[in-house]
Amino acid sequence: MRIIGIVGLFLLCVQVACGQGRVRYEFKRNLPVYADSLIADLTYPLAWGNSKITDFNEWRQVARQKVFDCMLSAPPKAVNGYSAEVVYEEQRDGYRARKLYLRLSRYYTVPAYLLIPDGMGPFPAVNVLHDHGGHLFIGKEKMVRPLACEDSTVVKDADEWLNGYGGQYFGDYLAKQGYVVLATDAPMWGERGQQEGPRRDKYDMIAGNMMMYGIDLSAYMTYDDLAATEWLAQQPEVDATKIGCTGWSMGAYRAWMLAALSDYIKAAASICWMVTTDEQMSFKYKRTENGGFANCLPGLRRWLDYPHIASIACPKAMLFINGSQDKLFPVPGVEKAFRTMHDVWQSQGADRMLETELWDMPHSCPVKAQQRVADFFRKHL
């Protein structure tokens, strides 16, 4: 007994010295230990096929409203409607580039880049949505080459971030293909960041504080994407019947969310963000979702899973590309999500409008993926 007591005391001292906390615990790897039980209780009663609603158009309206309900308070609209202040403009090879401050809400303006092809419009348009990456110093500059008015540190950072995009600015590439391109900063990224500097570890704390106001920071990102797309549709250079959206990683999440919630979007392409909750939030794999509040809408999982929400976009043209080597999204969860969405599009006789592909690649947005998106938009926009 004395030996056991000494060993126990030694282990306790080791735990305290290593900062390991108490012997008993309820959370590990950022999840509750009862995660499997939580997953088992997620029945998604509002999903198409689970819901008692049998008319698809009615279901879309009800499901969309449930998403909005879980998004909490929307930012109040600007008093005099949307407006834009052009602060800088430059000519590029085949298109003009503008830096704007968009008045999308009474609370704030949103820094943005707008690329307009040379020639006579109106042109089809694409809202390009930047990623998360745990890197908050730049936002819109991840998608569009920074304008000459930007600080050299911004330009350098953006050029270095291009590694995830195969060395090519996605937005500029699409502008050269003849699209008006809009890129905005999401809340907490780029020029909408923290005065003290961009720190990933502060994002969740700020998001929690925003909750105290009855505001969901992730929802504000989506609300801004909706408002920016509506503003884009009002521009004289844009053919409002031909607007798409695309993005990689968090930008891909933003793209299918936007397609599900906005009637202005006709086609959407998402690269490396689709999965089911049961695979993403379980202990089966070495990691769990760590985007924090970046895609968290309170209570929504009690009604709809990710592919169910994306299916609100049916029968729109949608492209999903995920990587088989992507450690952020387990392949079984990706495949389940793809099957779920195909079931919905098939039920509406529109399966040809949904394209899902699993590529042999890690979590990235290479040039070939951008080319695939351009081909997709050429077909549908």
PDB file of all heavy atoms in Angstrom, residues 249 252-253 256-257 270-276 280 305-311 318 320-322 326 328-331 333-338 341 356 363:
ATOM      1  N   SER A 249     -11.509  26.357 -48.657  1.00  0.00           N
ATOM      2  CA  SER A 249     -11.505  26.202 -47.211  1.00  0.00           C
ATOM      3  C   SER A 249     -12.686  26.987 -46.619  1.00  0.00           C
ATOM      4  O   SER A 249     -13.816  26.766 -47.031  1.00  0.00           O
ATOM      5  CB  SER A 249     -10.157  26.652 -46.642  1.00  0.00           C
ATOM      6  OG  SER A 249      -9.995  26.217 -45.319  1.00  0.00           O
ATOM      7  N   ALA A 252     -14.862  28.184 -49.140  1.00  0.00           N
ATOM      8  CA  ALA A 252     -15.763  27.195 -49.726  1.00  0.00           C
ATOM      9  C   ALA A 252     -17.031  27.070 -48.886  1.00  0.00           C
ATOM     10  O   ALA A 252     -18.138  26.970 -49.421  1.00  0.00           O
ATOM     11  CB  ALA A 252     -15.070  25.844 -49.827  1.00  0.00           C
ATOM     12  N   TYR A 253     -16.865  27.058 -47.559  1.00  0.00           N
ATOM     13  CA  TYR A 253     -18.024  27.073 -46.661  1.00  0.00           C
ATOM     14  C   TYR A 253     -18.890  28.298 -46.940  1.00  0.00           C
ATOM     15  O   TYR A 253     -20.115  28.208 -47.066  1.00  0.00           O
ATOM     16  CB  TYR A 253     -17.541  27.076 -45.208  1.00  0.00           C
ATOM     17  CG  TYR A 253     -18.597  27.484 -44.197  1.00  0.00           C
ATOM     18  CD1 TYR A 253     -19.485  26.545 -43.686  1.00  0.00           C
ATOM     19  CD2 TYR A 253     -18.705  28.802 -43.762  1.00  0.00           C
ATOM     20  CE1 TYR A 253     -20.467  26.913 -42.769  1.00  0.00           C
ATOM     21  CE2 TYR A 253     -19.668  29.184 -42.847  1.00  0.00           C
ATOM     22  CZ  TYR A 253     -20.543  28.238 -42.349  1.00  0.00           C
ATOM     23  OH  TYR A 253     -21.509  28.610 -41.455  1.00  0.00           O
ATOM     24  N   TRP A 256     -20.984  27.791 -50.325  1.00  0.00           N
ATOM     25  CA  TRP A 256     -22.226  27.010 -50.354  1.00  0.00           C
ATOM     26  C   TRP A 256     -23.276  27.576 -49.401  1.00  0.00           C
ATOM     27  O   TRP A 256     -24.482  27.442 -49.651  1.00  0.00           O
ATOM     28  CB  TRP A 256     -21.994  25.522 -50.138  1.00  0.00           C
ATOM     29  CG  TRP A 256     -21.293  25.023 -48.917  1.00  0.00           C
ATOM     30  CD1 TRP A 256     -20.018  24.557 -48.845  1.00  0.00           C
ATOM     31  CD2 TRP A 256     -21.851  24.850 -47.601  1.00  0.00           C
ATOM     32  NE1 TRP A 256     -19.731  24.123 -47.568  1.00  0.00           N
ATOM     33  CE2 TRP A 256     -20.836  24.283 -46.798  1.00  0.00           C
ATOM     34  CE3 TRP A 256     -23.099  25.114 -47.039  1.00  0.00           C
ATOM     35  CZ2 TRP A 256     -21.026  23.993 -45.441  1.00  0.00           C
ATOM     36  CZ3 TRP A 256     -23.295  24.829 -45.696  1.00  0.00           C
ATOM     37  CH2 TRP A 256     -22.272  24.282 -44.906  1.00  0.00           C
ATOM     38  N   MET A 257     -22.847  28.246 -48.341  1.00  0.00           N
ATOM     39  CA  MET A 257     -23.815  28.943 -47.486  1.00  0.00           C
ATOM     40  C   MET A 257     -24.497  30.059 -48.268  1.00  0.00           C
ATOM     41  O   MET A 257     -25.725  30.231 -48.205  1.00  0.00           O
ATOM     42  CB  MET A 257     -23.114  29.520 -46.264  1.00  0.00           C
ATOM     43  CG  MET A 257     -22.859  28.523 -45.159  1.00  0.00           C
ATOM     44  SD  MET A 257     -24.378  28.022 -44.274  1.00  0.00           S
ATOM     45  CE  MET A 257     -24.769  29.521 -43.373  1.00  0.00           C
ATOM     46  N   SER A 270     -17.185  25.125 -54.499  1.00  0.00           N
ATOM     47  CA  SER A 270     -16.544  25.053 -53.191  1.00  0.00           C
ATOM     48  C   SER A 270     -15.382  24.070 -53.232  1.00  0.00           C
ATOM     49  O   SER A 270     -15.565  22.910 -53.604  1.00  0.00           O
ATOM     50  CB  SER A 270     -17.560  24.607 -52.126  1.00  0.00           C
ATOM     51  OG  SER A 270     -18.583  25.573 -51.952  1.00  0.00           O
ATOM     52  N   ILE A 271     -14.208  24.545 -52.834  1.00  0.00           N
ATOM     53  CA  ILE A 271     -13.009  23.707 -52.843  1.00  0.00           C
ATOM     54  C   ILE A 271     -12.560  23.435 -51.408  1.00  0.00           C
ATOM     55  O   ILE A 271     -12.190  24.357 -50.679  1.00  0.00           O
ATOM     56  CB  ILE A 271     -11.874  24.382 -53.636  1.00  0.00           C
ATOM     57  CG1 ILE A 271     -12.342  24.683 -55.071  1.00  0.00           C
ATOM     58  CG2 ILE A 271     -10.632  23.505 -53.656  1.00  0.00           C
ATOM     59  CD1 ILE A 271     -11.360  25.496 -55.883  1.00  0.00           C
ATOM     60  N   CYS A 272     -12.651  22.187 -51.009  1.00  0.00           N
ATOM     61  CA  CYS A 272     -12.163  21.721 -49.701  1.00  0.00           C
ATOM     62  C   CYS A 272     -12.952  22.272 -48.517  1.00  0.00           C
ATOM     63  O   CYS A 272     -12.372  22.833 -47.579  1.00  0.00           O
ATOM     64  CB  CYS A 272     -10.681  22.039 -49.537  1.00  0.00           C
ATOM     65  SG  CYS A 272      -9.602  21.092 -50.630  1.00  0.00           S
ATOM     66  N   TRP A 273     -14.265  22.113 -48.541  1.00  0.00           N
ATOM     67  CA  TRP A 273     -15.069  22.302 -47.326  1.00  0.00           C
ATOM     68  C   TRP A 273     -16.445  21.660 -47.517  1.00  0.00           C
ATOM     69  O   TRP A 273     -17.411  22.306 -47.902  1.00  0.00           O
ATOM     70  CB  TRP A 273     -15.267  23.766 -46.951  1.00  0.00           C
ATOM     71  CG  TRP A 273     -15.364  23.978 -45.459  1.00  0.00           C
ATOM     72  CD1 TRP A 273     -14.533  24.735 -44.695  1.00  0.00           C
ATOM     73  CD2 TRP A 273     -16.359  23.459 -44.539  1.00  0.00           C
ATOM     74  NE1 TRP A 273     -14.913  24.705 -43.370  1.00  0.00           N
ATOM     75  CE2 TRP A 273     -16.032  23.925 -43.248  1.00  0.00           C
ATOM     76  CE3 TRP A 273     -17.483  22.630 -44.674  1.00  0.00           C
ATOM     77  CZ2 TRP A 273     -16.778  23.604 -42.108  1.00  0.00           C
ATOM     78  CZ3 TRP A 273     -18.226  22.297 -43.544  1.00  0.00           C
ATOM     79  CH2 TRP A 273     -17.883  22.780 -42.292  1.00  0.00           C
ATOM     80  N   MET A 274     -16.497  20.388 -47.238  1.00  0.00           N
ATOM     81  CA  MET A 274     -17.777  19.703 -47.120  1.00  0.00           C
ATOM     82  C   MET A 274     -17.532  18.405 -46.364  1.00  0.00           C
ATOM     83  O   MET A 274     -16.555  17.693 -46.624  1.00  0.00           O
ATOM     84  CB  MET A 274     -18.409  19.433 -48.479  1.00  0.00           C
ATOM     85  CG  MET A 274     -19.764  18.699 -48.411  1.00  0.00           C
ATOM     86  SD  MET A 274     -20.965  19.337 -47.192  1.00  0.00           S
ATOM     87  CE  MET A 274     -21.366  20.937 -47.886  1.00  0.00           C
ATOM     88  N   VAL A 275     -18.411  18.117 -45.416  1.00  0.00           N
ATOM     89  CA  VAL A 275     -18.245  16.944 -44.558  1.00  0.00           C
ATOM     90  C   VAL A 275     -19.539  16.760 -43.778  1.00  0.00           C
ATOM     91  O   VAL A 275     -20.431  17.604 -43.840  1.00  0.00           O
ATOM     92  CB  VAL A 275     -17.038  17.161 -43.597  1.00  0.00           C
ATOM     93  CG1 VAL A 275     -17.376  18.170 -42.500  1.00  0.00           C
ATOM     94  CG2 VAL A 275     -16.525  15.853 -43.022  1.00  0.00           C
ATOM     95  N   THR A 276     -19.663  15.655 -43.064  1.00  0.00           N
ATOM     96  CA  THR A 276     -20.785  15.445 -42.150  1.00  0.00           C
ATOM     97  C   THR A 276     -20.303  15.597 -40.718  1.00  0.00           C
ATOM     98  O   THR A 276     -19.146  15.301 -40.402  1.00  0.00           O
ATOM     99  CB  THR A 276     -21.413  14.052 -42.334  1.00  0.00           C
ATOM    100  OG1 THR A 276     -20.397  13.052 -42.193  1.00  0.00           O
ATOM    101  CG2 THR A 276     -22.081  13.931 -43.699  1.00  0.00           C
ATOM    102  N   GLN A 280     -16.748  14.639 -38.677  1.00  0.00           N
ATOM    103  CA  GLN A 280     -15.909  15.785 -38.354  1.00  0.00           C
ATOM    104  C   GLN A 280     -15.706  15.963 -36.851  1.00  0.00           C
ATOM    105  O   GLN A 280     -14.616  16.315 -36.396  1.00  0.00           O
ATOM    106  CB  GLN A 280     -16.541  17.067 -38.929  1.00  0.00           C
ATOM    107  CG  GLN A 280     -15.719  18.325 -38.674  1.00  0.00           C
ATOM    108  CD  GLN A 280     -16.500  19.576 -38.982  1.00  0.00           C
ATOM    109  OE1 GLN A 280     -17.675  19.685 -38.653  1.00  0.00           O
ATOM    110  NE2 GLN A 280     -15.857  20.521 -39.638  1.00  0.00           N
ATOM    111  N   ASP A 305     -27.713  19.196 -40.933  1.00  0.00           N
ATOM    112  CA  ASP A 305     -26.274  19.015 -41.037  1.00  0.00           C
ATOM    113  C   ASP A 305     -25.766  19.842 -42.222  1.00  0.00           C
ATOM    114  O   ASP A 305     -26.541  20.405 -42.996  1.00  0.00           O
ATOM    115  CB  ASP A 305     -25.946  17.529 -41.221  1.00  0.00           C
ATOM    116  CG  ASP A 305     -24.509  17.192 -40.848  1.00  0.00           C
ATOM    117  OD1 ASP A 305     -23.770  18.113 -40.446  1.00  0.00           O
ATOM    118  OD2 ASP A 305     -24.130  16.004 -40.955  1.00  0.00           O
ATOM    119  N   TYR A 306     -24.447  19.910 -42.372  1.00  0.00           N
ATOM    120  CA  TYR A 306     -23.854  20.724 -43.431  1.00  0.00           C
ATOM    121  C   TYR A 306     -24.424  20.401 -44.822  1.00  0.00           C
ATOM    122  O   TYR A 306     -24.838  21.325 -45.543  1.00  0.00           O
ATOM    123  CB  TYR A 306     -22.332  20.550 -43.451  1.00  0.00           C
ATOM    124  CG  TYR A 306     -21.642  20.950 -42.183  1.00  0.00           C
ATOM    125  CD1 TYR A 306     -20.868  20.034 -41.481  1.00  0.00           C
ATOM    126  CD2 TYR A 306     -21.732  22.247 -41.666  1.00  0.00           C
ATOM    127  CE1 TYR A 306     -20.208  20.390 -40.299  1.00  0.00           C
ATOM    128  CE2 TYR A 306     -21.089  22.600 -40.506  1.00  0.00           C
ATOM    129  CZ  TYR A 306     -20.323  21.669 -39.815  1.00  0.00           C
ATOM    130  OH  TYR A 306     -19.675  22.025 -38.659  1.00  0.00           O
ATOM    131  N   PRO A 307     -24.441  19.142 -45.256  1.00  0.00           N
ATOM    132  CA  PRO A 307     -24.959  18.872 -46.607  1.00  0.00           C
ATOM    133  C   PRO A 307     -26.437  19.190 -46.748  1.00  0.00           C
ATOM    134  O   PRO A 307     -26.893  19.499 -47.856  1.00  0.00           O
ATOM    135  CB  PRO A 307     -24.673  17.379 -46.817  1.00  0.00           C
ATOM    136  CG  PRO A 307     -24.538  16.818 -45.441  1.00  0.00           C
ATOM    137  CD  PRO A 307     -23.927  17.910 -44.622  1.00  0.00           C
ATOM    138  N   HIS A 308     -27.199  19.122 -45.649  1.00  0.00           N
ATOM    139  CA  HIS A 308     -28.619  19.488 -45.712  1.00  0.00           C
ATOM    140  C   HIS A 308     -28.768  20.980 -45.983  1.00  0.00           C
ATOM    141  O   HIS A 308     -29.645  21.402 -46.749  1.00  0.00           O
ATOM    142  CB  HIS A 308     -29.323  19.138 -44.398  1.00  0.00           C
ATOM    143  CG  HIS A 308     -29.168  17.704 -43.990  1.00  0.00           C
ATOM    144  ND1 HIS A 308     -28.971  17.323 -42.680  1.00  0.00           N
ATOM    145  CD2 HIS A 308     -29.159  16.563 -44.720  1.00  0.00           C
ATOM    146  CE1 HIS A 308     -28.863  16.005 -42.616  1.00  0.00           C
ATOM    147  NE2 HIS A 308     -28.971  15.521 -43.845  1.00  0.00           N
ATOM    148  N   ILE A 309     -27.909  21.782 -45.337  1.00  0.00           N
ATOM    149  CA  ILE A 309     -27.956  23.228 -45.554  1.00  0.00           C
ATOM    150  C   ILE A 309     -27.564  23.553 -46.988  1.00  0.00           C
ATOM    151  O   ILE A 309     -28.240  24.338 -47.668  1.00  0.00           O
ATOM    152  CB  ILE A 309     -27.019  23.954 -44.572  1.00  0.00           C
ATOM    153  CG1 ILE A 309     -27.417  23.648 -43.125  1.00  0.00           C
ATOM    154  CG2 ILE A 309     -27.050  25.456 -44.818  1.00  0.00           C
ATOM    155  CD1 ILE A 309     -26.369  24.033 -42.109  1.00  0.00           C
ATOM    156  N   ALA A 310     -26.483  22.938 -47.460  1.00  0.00           N
ATOM    157  CA  ALA A 310     -26.052  23.173 -48.844  1.00  0.00           C
ATOM    158  C   ALA A 310     -27.142  22.783 -49.826  1.00  0.00           C
ATOM    159  O   ALA A 310     -27.265  23.383 -50.907  1.00  0.00           O
ATOM    160  CB  ALA A 310     -24.772  22.395 -49.126  1.00  0.00           C
ATOM    161  N   SER A 311     -27.955  21.789 -49.465  1.00  0.00           N
ATOM    162  CA  SER A 311     -29.013  21.302 -50.363  1.00  0.00           C
ATOM    163  C   SER A 311     -30.152  22.287 -50.521  1.00  0.00           C
ATOM    164  O   SER A 311     -30.990  22.134 -51.426  1.00  0.00           O
ATOM    165  CB  SER A 311     -29.550  19.960 -49.858  1.00  0.00           C
ATOM    166  OG  SER A 311     -28.555  18.958 -49.935  1.00  0.00           O
ATOM    167  N   MET A 318     -23.947  23.430 -58.744  1.00  0.00           N
ATOM    168  CA  MET A 318     -23.006  23.433 -57.627  1.00  0.00           C
ATOM    169  C   MET A 318     -21.858  22.482 -57.928  1.00  0.00           C
ATOM    170  O   MET A 318     -22.069  21.374 -58.429  1.00  0.00           O
ATOM    171  CB  MET A 318     -23.705  23.004 -56.338  1.00  0.00           C
ATOM    172  CG  MET A 318     -24.878  23.883 -55.917  1.00  0.00           C
ATOM    173  SD  MET A 318     -24.375  25.423 -55.148  1.00  0.00           S
ATOM    174  CE  MET A 318     -23.966  24.841 -53.499  1.00  0.00           C
ATOM    175  N   PHE A 320     -18.460  20.759 -55.991  1.00  0.00           N
ATOM    176  CA  PHE A 320     -17.711  20.515 -54.759  1.00  0.00           C
ATOM    177  C   PHE A 320     -16.475  19.690 -55.087  1.00  0.00           C
ATOM    178  O   PHE A 320     -16.585  18.627 -55.692  1.00  0.00           O
ATOM    179  CB  PHE A 320     -18.561  19.758 -53.731  1.00  0.00           C
ATOM    180  CG  PHE A 320     -19.701  20.550 -53.161  1.00  0.00           C
ATOM    181  CD1 PHE A 320     -20.928  20.599 -53.819  1.00  0.00           C
ATOM    182  CD2 PHE A 320     -19.557  21.243 -51.970  1.00  0.00           C
ATOM    183  CE1 PHE A 320     -21.982  21.324 -53.307  1.00  0.00           C
ATOM    184  CE2 PHE A 320     -20.612  21.979 -51.441  1.00  0.00           C
ATOM    185  CZ  PHE A 320     -21.826  22.023 -52.110  1.00  0.00           C
ATOM    186  N   ILE A 321     -15.312  20.201 -54.694  1.00  0.00           N
ATOM    187  CA  ILE A 321     -14.059  19.464 -54.844  1.00  0.00           C
ATOM    188  C   ILE A 321     -13.436  19.320 -53.466  1.00  0.00           C
ATOM    189  O   ILE A 321     -13.245  20.323 -52.759  1.00  0.00           O
ATOM    190  CB  ILE A 321     -13.073  20.190 -55.780  1.00  0.00           C
ATOM    191  CG1 ILE A 321     -13.660  20.362 -57.186  1.00  0.00           C
ATOM    192  CG2 ILE A 321     -11.749  19.431 -55.854  1.00  0.00           C
ATOM    193  CD1 ILE A 321     -12.804  21.220 -58.107  1.00  0.00           C
ATOM    194  N   ASN A 322     -13.151  18.104 -53.048  1.00  0.00           N
ATOM    195  CA  ASN A 322     -12.425  17.862 -51.803  1.00  0.00           C
ATOM    196  C   ASN A 322     -11.190  17.026 -52.097  1.00  0.00           C
ATOM    197  O   ASN A 322     -11.107  16.371 -53.140  1.00  0.00           O
ATOM    198  CB  ASN A 322     -13.302  17.165 -50.762  1.00  0.00           C
ATOM    199  CG  ASN A 322     -14.026  18.152 -49.864  1.00  0.00           C
ATOM    200  OD1 ASN A 322     -14.908  18.890 -50.310  1.00  0.00           O
ATOM    201  ND2 ASN A 322     -13.653  18.170 -48.600  1.00  0.00           N
ATOM    202  N   ASP A 326      -6.713  15.474 -47.653  1.00  0.00           N
ATOM    203  CA  ASP A 326      -7.055  16.613 -46.804  1.00  0.00           C
ATOM    204  C   ASP A 326      -7.311  16.126 -45.382  1.00  0.00           C
ATOM    205  O   ASP A 326      -8.303  15.446 -45.114  1.00  0.00           O
ATOM    206  CB  ASP A 326      -8.301  17.313 -47.369  1.00  0.00           C
ATOM    207  CG  ASP A 326      -8.599  18.635 -46.670  1.00  0.00           C
ATOM    208  OD1 ASP A 326      -8.161  18.819 -45.525  1.00  0.00           O
ATOM    209  OD2 ASP A 326      -9.291  19.473 -47.273  1.00  0.00           O
ATOM    210  N   LEU A 328      -8.142  17.839 -42.845  1.00  0.00           N
ATOM    211  CA  LEU A 328      -9.185  18.594 -42.148  1.00  0.00           C
ATOM    212  C   LEU A 328     -10.558  17.958 -42.307  1.00  0.00           C
ATOM    213  O   LEU A 328     -11.426  18.134 -41.453  1.00  0.00           O
ATOM    214  CB  LEU A 328      -9.237  20.042 -42.657  1.00  0.00           C
ATOM    215  CG  LEU A 328      -8.277  21.034 -41.996  1.00  0.00           C
ATOM    216  CD1 LEU A 328      -6.831  20.687 -42.315  1.00  0.00           C
ATOM    217  CD2 LEU A 328      -8.588  22.454 -42.438  1.00  0.00           C
ATOM    218  N   PHE A 329     -10.759  17.239 -43.421  1.00  0.00           N
ATOM    219  CA  PHE A 329     -12.077  16.680 -43.713  1.00  0.00           C
ATOM    220  C   PHE A 329     -11.952  15.196 -44.034  1.00  0.00           C
ATOM    221  O   PHE A 329     -11.550  14.830 -45.141  1.00  0.00           O
ATOM    222  CB  PHE A 329     -12.733  17.438 -44.869  1.00  0.00           C
ATOM    223  CG  PHE A 329     -12.933  18.901 -44.573  1.00  0.00           C
ATOM    224  CD1 PHE A 329     -12.049  19.842 -45.060  1.00  0.00           C
ATOM    225  CD2 PHE A 329     -13.979  19.317 -43.769  1.00  0.00           C
ATOM    226  CE1 PHE A 329     -12.203  21.184 -44.759  1.00  0.00           C
ATOM    227  CE2 PHE A 329     -14.150  20.657 -43.463  1.00  0.00           C
ATOM    228  CZ  PHE A 329     -13.258  21.600 -43.948  1.00  0.00           C
ATOM    229  N   PRO A 330     -12.286  14.318 -43.079  1.00  0.00           N
ATOM    230  CA  PRO A 330     -12.161  12.866 -43.295  1.00  0.00           C
ATOM    231  C   PRO A 330     -12.952  12.416 -44.519  1.00  0.00           C
ATOM    232  O   PRO A 330     -14.106  12.807 -44.707  1.00  0.00           O
ATOM    233  CB  PRO A 330     -12.737  12.271 -42.013  1.00  0.00           C
ATOM    234  CG  PRO A 330     -12.641  13.363 -40.997  1.00  0.00           C
ATOM    235  CD  PRO A 330     -12.811  14.640 -41.751  1.00  0.00           C
ATOM    236  N   VAL A 331     -12.321  11.609 -45.346  1.00  0.00           N
ATOM    237  CA  VAL A 331     -12.943  11.163 -46.592  1.00  0.00           C
ATOM    238  C   VAL A 331     -14.306  10.499 -46.362  1.00  0.00           C
ATOM    239  O   VAL A 331     -15.251  10.776 -47.117  1.00  0.00           O
ATOM    240  CB  VAL A 331     -11.992  10.221 -47.365  1.00  0.00           C
ATOM    241  CG1 VAL A 331     -12.715   9.552 -48.534  1.00  0.00           C
ATOM    242  CG2 VAL A 331     -10.789  11.010 -47.879  1.00  0.00           C
ATOM    243  N   GLY A 333     -16.562  11.202 -44.230  1.00  0.00           N
ATOM    244  CA  GLY A 333     -17.533  12.276 -44.029  1.00  0.00           C
ATOM    245  C   GLY A 333     -17.812  13.042 -45.299  1.00  0.00           C
ATOM    246  O   GLY A 333     -18.941  13.475 -45.550  1.00  0.00           O
ATOM    247  N   VAL A 334     -16.781  13.216 -46.121  1.00  0.00           N
ATOM    248  CA  VAL A 334     -16.955  13.893 -47.416  1.00  0.00           C
ATOM    249  C   VAL A 334     -17.866  13.062 -48.315  1.00  0.00           C
ATOM    250  O   VAL A 334     -18.809  13.582 -48.930  1.00  0.00           O
ATOM    251  CB  VAL A 334     -15.596  14.122 -48.091  1.00  0.00           C
ATOM    252  CG1 VAL A 334     -15.781  14.689 -49.492  1.00  0.00           C
ATOM    253  CG2 VAL A 334     -14.729  15.052 -47.248  1.00  0.00           C
ATOM    254  N   GLU A 335     -17.604  11.772 -48.370  1.00  0.00           N
ATOM    255  CA  GLU A 335     -18.392  10.894 -49.241  1.00  0.00           C
ATOM    256  C   GLU A 335     -19.843  10.814 -48.773  1.00  0.00           C
ATOM    257  O   GLU A 335     -20.768  10.789 -49.602  1.00  0.00           O
ATOM    258  CB  GLU A 335     -17.753   9.513 -49.287  1.00  0.00           C
ATOM    259  CG  GLU A 335     -16.404   9.510 -50.005  1.00  0.00           C
ATOM    260  CD  GLU A 335     -15.709   8.163 -49.978  1.00  0.00           C
ATOM    261  OE1 GLU A 335     -15.990   7.363 -49.044  1.00  0.00           O
ATOM    262  OE2 GLU A 335     -14.888   7.902 -50.875  1.00  0.00           O
ATOM    263  N   LYS A 336     -20.064  10.779 -47.459  1.00  0.00           N
ATOM    264  CA  LYS A 336     -21.432  10.774 -46.942  1.00  0.00           C
ATOM    265  C   LYS A 336     -22.156  12.056 -47.346  1.00  0.00           C
ATOM    266  O   LYS A 336     -23.321  12.034 -47.757  1.00  0.00           O
ATOM    267  CB  LYS A 336     -21.428  10.661 -45.414  1.00  0.00           C
ATOM    268  CG  LYS A 336     -21.120   9.299 -44.850  1.00  0.00           C
ATOM    269  CD  LYS A 336     -21.201   9.338 -43.330  1.00  0.00           C
ATOM    270  CE  LYS A 336     -20.793   8.034 -42.704  1.00  0.00           C
ATOM    271  NZ  LYS A 336     -20.835   8.100 -41.216  1.00  0.00           N
ATOM    272  N   ALA A 337     -21.466  13.178 -47.207  1.00  0.00           N
ATOM    273  CA  ALA A 337     -22.071  14.467 -47.551  1.00  0.00           C
ATOM    274  C   ALA A 337     -22.406  14.525 -49.036  1.00  0.00           C
ATOM    275  O   ALA A 337     -23.490  14.996 -49.424  1.00  0.00           O
ATOM    276  CB  ALA A 337     -21.124  15.601 -47.170  1.00  0.00           C
ATOM    277  N   PHE A 338     -21.492  14.041 -49.873  1.00  0.00           N
ATOM    278  CA  PHE A 338     -21.750  14.036 -51.312  1.00  0.00           C
ATOM    279  C   PHE A 338     -22.986  13.191 -51.634  1.00  0.00           C
ATOM    280  O   PHE A 338     -23.843  13.594 -52.434  1.00  0.00           O
ATOM    281  CB  PHE A 338     -20.539  13.502 -52.064  1.00  0.00           C
ATOM    282  CG  PHE A 338     -19.374  14.462 -52.154  1.00  0.00           C
ATOM    283  CD1 PHE A 338     -18.176  14.076 -52.761  1.00  0.00           C
ATOM    284  CD2 PHE A 338     -19.467  15.745 -51.662  1.00  0.00           C
ATOM    285  CE1 PHE A 338     -17.106  14.950 -52.874  1.00  0.00           C
ATOM    286  CE2 PHE A 338     -18.393  16.639 -51.750  1.00  0.00           C
ATOM    287  CZ  PHE A 338     -17.210  16.232 -52.356  1.00  0.00           C
ATOM    288  N   MET A 341     -26.220  15.015 -50.651  1.00  0.00           N
ATOM    289  CA  MET A 341     -26.598  16.079 -51.586  1.00  0.00           C
ATOM    290  C   MET A 341     -27.098  15.502 -52.905  1.00  0.00           C
ATOM    291  O   MET A 341     -28.083  16.002 -53.469  1.00  0.00           O
ATOM    292  CB  MET A 341     -25.421  17.027 -51.793  1.00  0.00           C
ATOM    293  CG  MET A 341     -25.078  17.839 -50.556  1.00  0.00           C
ATOM    294  SD  MET A 341     -23.833  19.124 -50.848  1.00  0.00           S
ATOM    295  CE  MET A 341     -22.381  18.130 -51.226  1.00  0.00           C
ATOM    296  N   THR A 356     -19.698  16.569 -57.820  1.00  0.00           N
ATOM    297  CA  THR A 356     -18.876  16.348 -56.626  1.00  0.00           C
ATOM    298  C   THR A 356     -17.664  15.520 -57.012  1.00  0.00           C
ATOM    299  O   THR A 356     -17.800  14.492 -57.672  1.00  0.00           O
ATOM    300  CB  THR A 356     -19.677  15.619 -55.533  1.00  0.00           C
ATOM    301  OG1 THR A 356     -20.178  14.371 -56.057  1.00  0.00           O
ATOM    302  CG2 THR A 356     -20.860  16.461 -55.079  1.00  0.00           C
ATOM    303  N   HIS A 363      -5.203  19.683 -48.446  1.00  0.00           N
ATOM    304  CA  HIS A 363      -6.055  20.857 -48.269  1.00  0.00           C
ATOM    305  C   HIS A 363      -5.413  22.027 -49.017  1.00  0.00           C
ATOM    306  O   HIS A 363      -4.537  22.708 -48.493  1.00  0.00           O
ATOM    307  CB  HIS A 363      -6.191  21.170 -46.780  1.00  0.00           C
ATOM    308  CG  HIS A 363      -7.243  22.192 -46.480  1.00  0.00           C
ATOM    309  ND1 HIS A 363      -8.586  21.933 -46.606  1.00  0.00           N
ATOM    310  CD2 HIS A 363      -7.145  23.475 -46.053  1.00  0.00           C
ATOM    311  CE1 HIS A 363      -9.276  23.004 -46.269  1.00  0.00           C
ATOM    312  NE2 HIS A 363      -8.420  23.960 -45.940  1.00  0.00           N
TER     313      HIS A 363
END
